[in-house]
Amino acid sequence: MSRSVGTHTADPCPRCLVEAVRPGSPMAVAGHNVVGYHCDRCAKSWTRPVEDDLDVHDVVRVDLPDATLYGTVWQVEGDRVQVRGTGGEWLLWVDRWRVIVY
């Protein structure tokens, strides 16, 4: 389970289960777009696929360098996604690799 750390969400390492903020980085593995993560404590590296089946109105988490945001997909265009905050507080275009469907 993830928990909040300041303006970010901390996720557990799949090996040692230590929760930390890990922003990830986009990469390709065997021709597939993925986001890579690394645990500083146990040196485990892992990936997750970049979401390729996003639909308007999906509830998502967006991992940005300065914060973790939660909202709803408003538009999808190629490698970017427009996400709307709860109650329309904000509307933001982000790179698709930063989006996680909830």
Side-chain angles (χ1 to χ4, degrees):
M1 189 71 200
S2 301
R3 66 180 175 88
S4 293
V5 175
T7 59
H8 290 277
T9 298
D11 295 310
C13 168
R15 178 186 290 155
C16 69
L17 303 179
V18 168
E19 292 182 339
V21 174
R22 298 179 181 93
S25 56
M27 60 180 69
V29 174
H32 299 282
N33 292 327
V34 298
V35 180
Y37 298 93
H38 179 78
C39 178
D40 292 334
R41 180 171 183 258
C42 72
K44 166 88 174 152
S45 293
W46 68 96
T47 62
R48 70 164 173 85
V50 172
E51 304 287 352
D52 61 358
D53 60 349
L54 289 170
D55 292 317
V56 172
H57 302 299
D58 280 348
V59 175
V60 296
R61 167 179 149 182
V62 182
D63 288 331
L64 299 172
D66 56 340
T68 301
L69 303 176
Y70 295 85
T72 305
V73 173
W74 216 241
Q75 293 184 62
V76 179
E77 289 184 1
D79 289 339
R80 63 188 199 139
V81 178
Q82 190 176 42
V83 180
R84 180 178 186 253
T86 305
E89 294 175 26
W90 46 267
L91 191 62
L92 181 67
W93 282 101
V94 297
D95 295 319
R96 181 186 288 260
W97 69 268
R98 295 186 179 279
V99 175
I100 300 171
V101 175
Y102 257 51

